[in-house]
């Protein structure tokens, strides 16, 4: 039984992956309107990096991650949290089963993202940089289309290869290389006619502040969207995130010459 003086309001299922959950908590903290420690959100992070790979499970058609996700939800429920955040887009494939058995409200990252898109765009085409598991799950296609936006998925096989590479590089700790791969994927979305691009994997949120020239493309950060939704739900003031960590590039040729590539296309 937990002492009421330290009871958390927000429960975070982290470790999916670890850098992504660290990025979420950093953004939650930087986006909170606060002048002192006790004005921030009382929260607890339950890091479960041993949880089975979500994309592998979805592509193989099994629910291996569901039981440990349910155990994580039950653990946070037992602490009396008001709501739960999962800074992992792919894990939301099992959202309905998790929410049905949770006392606390589970904030859906897809709903948070749609609200964030509406803050930046009235209408248009939105590309989703996501794991293959999230794309097969289909919840973003449903939510973004229902909100009146058109999904734009580049047909070029290179696009998903770049996304997969960027995600793997973040998991391996190679942030600068991951940012370069993300920029290449963003370039391909713009060539396909996208007005905005969603960083629909929270690993990609890690590199959001390290992106250089995105050539005017609107980039939506799913971790930042989830942080905003949590703060709003809990009644905390929200400010734009400041001082986000970036990774400097080594001197050398631009890995993504946007305008030169556009002229050549």
């Amino acid at each position: 039984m937990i002492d009421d003086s330290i009871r958390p309001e927000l429960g975070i299922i982290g470790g999916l992956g670890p850098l992504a959950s660290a990025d979420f908590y950093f953004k939650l903290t930087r986006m909170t309107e606060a002048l002192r420690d006790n004005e921030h959100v009382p929260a607890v992070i339950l890091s479960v990096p041993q949880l089975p790979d979500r994309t592998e499970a979805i592509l193989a058609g099994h629910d291996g991650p569901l039981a440990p996700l349910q155990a994580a939800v039950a653990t946070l429920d037992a602490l009396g949290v008001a709501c739960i955040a999962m800074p992992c887009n792919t894990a939301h494939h099992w959202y309905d089963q998790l929410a049905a058995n949770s006392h606390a409200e589970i904030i859906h990252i897809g709903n948070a993202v749609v609200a964030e898109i509406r803050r930046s765009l009235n209408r248009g085409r939105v590309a989703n940089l996501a794991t293959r598991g999230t794309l097969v799950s289909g919840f973003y296609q449903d939510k973004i289309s229902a909100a009146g936006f058109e999904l734009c998925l580049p047909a070029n096989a290179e696009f998903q290869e770049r996304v997969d590479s960027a995600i793997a590089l973040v998991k391996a700790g190679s942030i600068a290389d991951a940012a370069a791969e993300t920029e290449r994927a963003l370039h391909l979305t713009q060539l396909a006619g996208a007005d905005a691009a969603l960083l629909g994997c929270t690993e990609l949120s890690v590199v959001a502040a390290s992106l250089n020239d995105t050539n005017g493309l609107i980039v939506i950060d799913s971790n930042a969207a989830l942080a905003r939704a949590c703060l709003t739900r809990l009644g905390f003031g929200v400010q734009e995130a400041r001082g986000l960590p970036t990774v400097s590039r080594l001197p050398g040729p631009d890995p993504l010459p946007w305008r030169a590539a556009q002229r050549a296309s």
Side-chain angles (χ1 to χ4, degrees):
M1 190 169 182
I2 191 167
D3 190 304
D4 283 339
S5 66
I6 59 167
R7 186 176 302 280
E9 293 184 43
L10 175 64
I12 302 165
I13 300 177
L16 311 174
L19 269 177
S21 51
D23 177 78
F24 169 75
Y25 186 68
F26 185 92
K27 287 170 180 169
L28 180 81
T29 303
R30 295 300 287 142
M31 292 172 71
T32 305
E33 282 185 351
L35 298 176
R36 52 188 64 86
D37 292 349
N38 60 14
E39 293 176 349
H40 283 273
V41 180
V44 60
I45 300 173
L46 177 61
S47 186
V48 286
Q50 74 274 22
L51 195 139
D53 187 278
R54 281 68 62 202
T55 288
E56 288 180 4
I58 293 170
L59 297 182
H62 68 77
D63 291 327
L66 178 57
L69 281 171
Q70 289 174 324
V73 168
T75 299
L76 295 174
D77 269 339
L79 295 177
V81 299
C83 61
I84 294 171
M86 291 192 298
C88 172
N89 288 272
T90 314
H92 285 72
H93 176 73
W94 294 277
Y95 176 87
D96 290 342
Q97 297 98 309
L98 296 173
N101 295 293
S102 177
H103 297 297
E105 177 187 356
I106 302 177
I107 307 295
H108 198 302
I109 199 168
N111 295 336
V113 160
V114 166
E116 198 73 11
I117 294 171
R118 284 176 167 154
R119 294 180 71 244
S120 305
L121 200 65
N122 292 322
R123 59 182 179 275
R125 308 182 76 203
V126 180
N128 187 8
L129 283 66
T131 66
R132 295 172 191 261
T134 295
L135 295 176
V136 169
S137 180
F139 65 84
Y140 267 126
Q141 292 91 312
D142 294 340
K143 289 182 179 295
I144 292 175
S145 296
F149 298 97
E150 183 181 350
L151 259 294
C152 172
L153 188 64
N156 189 335
E158 181 190 354
F159 167 72
Q160 192 61 44
E161 291 169 2
R162 296 294 188 187
V163 172
D164 292 345
S165 174
I167 292 168
L169 284 164
V170 171
K171 288 184 179 294
S174 300
I175 308 305
D177 290 339
E181 287 286 74
T182 303
E183 288 176 357
R184 294 184 181 105
L186 290 173
H187 172 58
L188 293 171
T189 70
Q190 197 166 51
L191 291 180
D195 301 298
L198 164 62
L199 301 180
C201 174
T202 51
E203 258 76 35
L204 301 182
S205 294
V206 173
V207 308
S210 297
L211 299 175
N212 288 333
D213 183 11
T214 57
N215 199 34
L217 184 70
I218 296 169
V219 178
I220 306 296
D221 177 349
S222 57
N223 252 350
L226 182 60
R228 184 186 301 276
C230 291
L231 291 170
T232 301
R233 162 64 179 79
L234 292 169
F236 286 78
V238 183
Q239 63 187 2
E240 295 307 311
R242 298 166 294 142
L244 295 179
T246 61
V247 175
S248 299
R249 308 288 179 82
L250 293 173
D254 183 355
L256 180 57
W258 284 88
R259 293 175 179 82
Q262 283 189 309
R263 287 194 297 270
S265 63

